[in-house]
Amino acid sequence: MQPVILCLGLLSCSESTTERASPWESTSAEALAPLSQPARLGIAPETALPGAELTLTARVPQADDRRSELSVDLEMDAEEVDRALMLRSEGDALIGSIVLNAPAAEGDHLFSIHGALGSSRIEAHAAVNISSGARCGEGEILEAGRCVARVDGHHIKVERGISVNHRSAGRGRLGHMIHPRSARRYGDVIVACMTDAIGLIPVAELPIIDEPIDSAAERLRANLVETRLERSRITVSEHLLVFPERGIAVSSSRGADNKARGGLSSWRLPPLDSRPLAPPEHISSMTGGRGFGDMVRVGDRIFAIHHPNGIASVRLLENGRLRLDGDLDLPAMRGASTVAYDGTHLLVAGATDAHEVSLYGGTMHVLELKEPGMPIVLSSAHTTGTPRGIAILDDEMVAVANGALGIDLFDLGSPAAPQLIANVHTPGSAMGLSFEGGYLLVADWDNIRLYDASVRGRLRLLDAIDGFHPSYLAAGGGLHENGLTAANFVHLENGRFVAAELDVLLTGEIRRGAGAPRLVVHDRGHRLPREAHDEETITIRVSNGGRHQLDLEQPFDRKKDTAGSWCVPPGESALLTLKVAEENVVRTGANSSVILHSNDPENATPRILLIPSTVYQVGDPVPNFRLPMINICPDGSCPERLDCFDLDEEVAKGRPILLAAFASW
């Protein structure tokens, strides 16, 4: 029997009964037919009161097939408007305007035009935000609950970044994952938990995007200070909590097996405003058979996830040592994962017992605090998916990241009866959340997203970034050439953010009032068939992270006629079919790419990587491999010695084989 490579996936078919928080942000990507006639649709004002007048202006360029006038269909939120928009010839274009009353429902609304000019299909889109607070001056828009000046460009501005793998030569040979798990900025220093160390990085010494890699790595090694976790008797760590006024940090580890202990450790930080920085000093550790996870601070108490399904109360004493005050196992929860504090109650979320709800579901517990003593469970609510992170919003609202099932919005106006009022789809996998001043920043695995969360029960997409751009490569940004692949942590404070993905730290700022179209590429590499023909096609999934229409075009080649152009509405996802021919493939070293043109001001010529056909395909025989393995049995009957697994040997014995990959965050 010869094993073959299989491609498997999971699909959740359950329907949500909650309202979508953004009426025009798509929950799935649809195939877009190419356009042959670009068009523009504008709305004034971009922020309006319910029922106020809106002026929609459309412009369609004319080429050979010139017309004196043209009627196009008008839609709002994919529903036809009972009025056509008439365009008339003005110079080299057809232009027309129409005045409509704004809808009564508050939030984002998408207007679209559709039509035909000869054999050309016409399409254009524009978004408007309807709000009862929309009383802004000329040149201003309503954003995060306040009027801000309209500016060019994007909201998310990445300024500096680095791969922490550069911080010491040969570090990877130690066998630990060394990517950052959580990081926060205090003044000009980033305090980071980097899995096997607690590190301090001066922000000014992080390389600016586009800086050559040699100088970036050299400067990082010269200015980063760290203390290895081995000094705490805990070898790995996933979460970090900082008491800045006391100069103390606390790290947590869930452990792995009998080789990696779980526990909590406290560290004394040096003065962060002095140079050179001194390394953190280990104060104390609290280890045990059960590891610890996410943590939140309440005064001098730390409430930490105590695996698998508990919450522990830990006191940070005056001398910086840690003391366990109590432990509470939570009901109907097989894996607690995240904890937050809303100023009154603790919120703990995690995976639900499989028999309680669906395979994908989770639970959020609301706990009432007692002083002294342990908190008690006040109420519970089911989440759409398995919770990964919690953010406390304004107006007694809470956001819960559910991985591939998006973001839940809960109403905690009555803590004894939390209500799920909306679920917001994200194109990636929502892992981490951070809220400040009406803005919600989301680590969405292959992209980072920014929402306006100032309106109760709604999220308005402002921007999204995938890092899929030459300026974010390892030379400066530290990212792989395919951009973000596992963004799992974000922290937003004072308008500046820190994000972590794999071994990369990124820093930057939020620019208010922006809104340019933003290309987010979700399918980064495409494998061509081994027996490639002269002309193949590939399908890529993209989305528009900006507030204005995204225009995309595949460069035109007269011989092969491989041109294609598309427009993607704000916040929407789409599938594009691109043609791959010898004439439109660009080769850089060993890599080949297909080029697109876009109106994204920071990514005008994105490249779609083509994977060489010499690599393995689905259905190919699996090559033999050998892996080190420790055979551990619960009853202790198996010897705990290092052995080697040989695929061909096990297949020859006729044994069934399951290979599973585990992502630790």
Side-chain angles (χ1 to χ4, degrees):
M1 178 180 66
Q2 181 68 49
V4 296
I5 295 176
L6 300 177
C7 181
L8 304 177
L10 287 175
L11 176 65
S12 173
C13 299
S14 59
E15 293 188 6
S16 172
T17 58
T18 57
E19 177 187 357
R20 282 179 59 201
S22 178
W24 49 266
E25 189 170 358
S26 61
T27 58
S28 61
E30 296 183 357
L32 286 188
L35 297 169
S36 51
Q37 191 68 36
R40 281 285 180 271
L41 180 64
I43 295 182
E46 293 183 54
T47 305
L49 294 166
E53 286 191 349
L54 297 176
T55 300
L56 280 67
T57 302
R59 185 181 189 278
V60 179
Q62 291 200 87
D64 298 331
D65 186 11
R66 303 190 67 84
R67 301 273 292 274
S68 60
E69 61 181 25
L70 176 70
S71 177
V72 294
D73 296 328
L74 183 63
E75 293 181 351
M76 185 187 76
D77 299 333
E79 297 290 335
E80 187 174 346
V81 175
D82 191 23
R83 291 180 64 183
L85 176 57
M86 184 63 67
L87 311 181
R88 290 180 171 79
S89 179
E90 295 185 21
D92 60 352
L94 290 162
I95 299 175
S97 297
I98 190 171
V99 177
L100 300 173
N101 289 329
E106 296 193 38
D108 277 335
H109 295 274
L110 182 70
F111 284 88
S112 305
I113 60 169
H114 301 276
L117 183 60
S119 60
S120 301
R121 188 171 65 87
I122 297 169
E123 181 180 331
H125 311 272
V128 62
N129 175 30
I130 305 302
S131 172
S132 57
R135 293 177 173 84
C136 298
E138 186 176 352
E140 293 183 325
I141 58 172
L142 185 68
E143 183 178 294
R146 63 186 70 87
C147 293
V148 299
R150 160 64 72 194
V151 299
D152 295 332
H154 298 119
H155 283 84
I156 302 175
K157 176 65 175 177
V158 178
E159 297 172 336
R160 298 174 183 267
I162 191 65
S163 168
V164 296
N165 271 327
H166 298 321
R167 72 186 196 266
S168 62
R171 188 63 168 272
R173 292 196 296 269
L174 296 175
H176 297 308
M177 294 178 293
I178 60 174
H179 50 268
R181 296 302 185 94
S182 60
R184 285 174 169 80
R185 178 171 175 167
Y186 296 94
D188 293 329
V189 176
I190 293 176
V191 182
C193 162
M194 295 188 287
T195 302
D196 68 344
I198 302 299
L200 308 177
I201 307 174
V203 175
E205 302 304 328
L206 281 174
I208 299 172
I209 299 300
D210 280 334
E211 186 172 350
I213 188 170
D214 291 340
S215 60
E218 181 180 349
R219 200 162 72 208
L220 178 66
R221 286 194 290 268
N223 292 279
L224 178 145
V225 297
E226 61 181 354
T227 300
R228 298 289 298 278
L229 292 176
E230 293 169 346
R231 298 191 180 184
S232 68
R233 296 180 297 149
I234 297 174
T235 55
V236 295
S237 184
E238 293 92 19
H239 298 276
L240 187 70
L241 190 63
V242 178
F243 293 71
E245 78 285 359
R246 296 180 60 178
I248 292 176
V250 177
S251 61
S252 70
S253 173
R254 63 181 167 202
D257 50 33
N258 61 334
K259 306 295 183 183
R261 298 183 182 184
L264 298 174
S265 296
S266 58
W267 306 83
R268 193 169 306 282
L269 302 177
L272 299 182
D273 56 355
S274 65
R275 297 294 185 275
L277 289 167
E281 297 178 357
H282 176 247
I283 302 174
S284 69
S285 291
M286 188 175 69
T287 60
R290 298 166 61 186
F292 293 87
D294 195 15
M295 301 174 288
V296 69
R297 174 186 179 180
V298 181
D300 63 350
R301 299 172 78 184
I302 299 169
F303 288 94
I305 297 295
H306 202 184
H307 293 299
N309 64 332
I311 187 78
S313 174
V314 178
R315 188 80 59 174
L316 180 63
L317 304 177
E318 286 298 322
N319 60 5
R321 302 185 70 84
L322 301 169
R323 185 187 73 200
L324 179 64
D325 283 350
D327 204 358
L328 172 69
D329 283 339
L330 298 169
M333 186 171 283
R334 57 188 167 93
S337 58
T338 183
V339 59
Y341 177 58
D342 69 356
T344 306
H345 301 89
L346 280 181
L347 306 175
V348 182
T352 301
D353 283 338
H355 65 273
E356 292 288 334
V357 289
S358 72
L359 174 65
Y360 307 98
T363 295
M364 181 182 70
H365 292 303
V366 180
L367 279 66
E368 184 177 356
L369 291 182
K370 299 291 185 180
E371 181 63 54
M374 288 299 295
I376 61 172
V377 176
L378 178 64
S379 61
S380 303
H382 290 311
T383 59
T384 302
T386 302
R388 307 292 187 179
I390 298 177
I392 307 299
L393 311 181
D394 292 333
D395 297 327
E396 299 176 320
M397 293 295 299
V398 171
V400 179
N402 290 308
L405 295 183
I407 302 168
D408 284 343
L409 297 179
F410 281 92
D411 180 353
L412 281 188
S414 175
Q419 296 293 318
L420 174 61
I421 61 174
N423 174 260
V424 180
H425 167 78
T426 65
S429 183
M431 303 296 290
L433 306 172
S434 185
F435 175 80
E436 182 191 47
Y439 294 99
L440 180 67
L441 195 62
V442 181
D444 194 40
W445 205 247
D446 66 356
N447 68 110
I448 295 172
R449 306 175 75 75
L450 180 70
Y451 292 92
D452 180 340
S454 61
V455 177
R456 202 171 194 274
R458 292 194 184 97
L459 296 183
R460 294 178 53 241
L461 180 65
L462 299 177
D463 196 9
I465 185 171
D466 60 7
F468 185 46
H469 186 265
S471 64
Y472 302 137
L473 297 185
L479 290 175
H480 185 268
E481 63 181 346
N482 283 346
L484 293 164
T485 57
N488 60 89
F489 174 86
V490 286
H491 181 68
L492 178 62
E493 190 170 0
N494 298 323
R496 308 194 68 83
F497 68 86
V498 178
E501 79 98 39
L502 288 181
D503 59 354
V504 173
L505 279 175
L506 298 174
T507 68
E509 67 172 354
I510 302 301
R511 300 176 65 250
R512 296 176 179 176
R518 173 87 83 169
L519 172 62
V520 179
V521 181
H522 301 283
D523 299 327
R524 310 287 174 75
H526 296 268
R527 183 176 291 112
L528 295 177
R530 183 175 286 110
E531 301 298 331
H533 299 90
D534 291 340
E535 187 174 289
E536 298 287 343
T537 61
I538 60 174
T539 300
I540 65 170
R541 183 170 63 104
V542 302
S543 63
N544 179 3
R547 298 287 304 171
H548 291 89
Q549 173 179 305
L550 173 67
D551 295 328
L552 297 169
E553 180 184 32
Q554 187 175 13
F556 184 77
D557 179 85
R558 294 185 181 276
K559 181 179 179 182
K560 293 291 184 180
D561 192 25
T562 57
S565 61
W566 304 264
C567 67
V568 184
E572 297 282 347
S573 297
L575 296 175
L576 310 183
T577 299
L578 307 180
K579 295 181 180 180
V580 180
E582 183 66 27
E583 288 80 0
N584 63 4
V585 171
V586 176
R587 290 178 172 81
T588 306
N591 295 328
S592 299
S593 304
V594 173
I595 302 295
L596 292 178
H597 292 166
S598 84
N599 64 335
D600 180 339
E602 291 188 7
N603 200 2
T605 55
R607 297 190 175 197
I608 308 302
L609 183 66
L610 301 176
I611 300 175
S613 58
T614 55
V615 299
Y616 292 101
Q617 308 279 316
V618 174
D620 285 350
V622 177
N624 185 45
F625 60 83
R626 291 168 60 85
L627 290 175
M629 176 184 67
I630 297 177
N631 195 18
I632 301 177
C633 297
D635 60 2
S637 61
C638 300
E640 295 183 15
R641 65 173 182 269
L642 188 65
D643 202 348
C644 281
F645 170 88
D646 186 289
L647 178 64
D648 283 352
E649 289 180 5
E650 301 306 317
V651 170
K653 296 174 184 177
R655 294 180 176 178
I657 298 171
L658 171 66
L659 299 179
F662 173 68
S664 59
W665 55 85

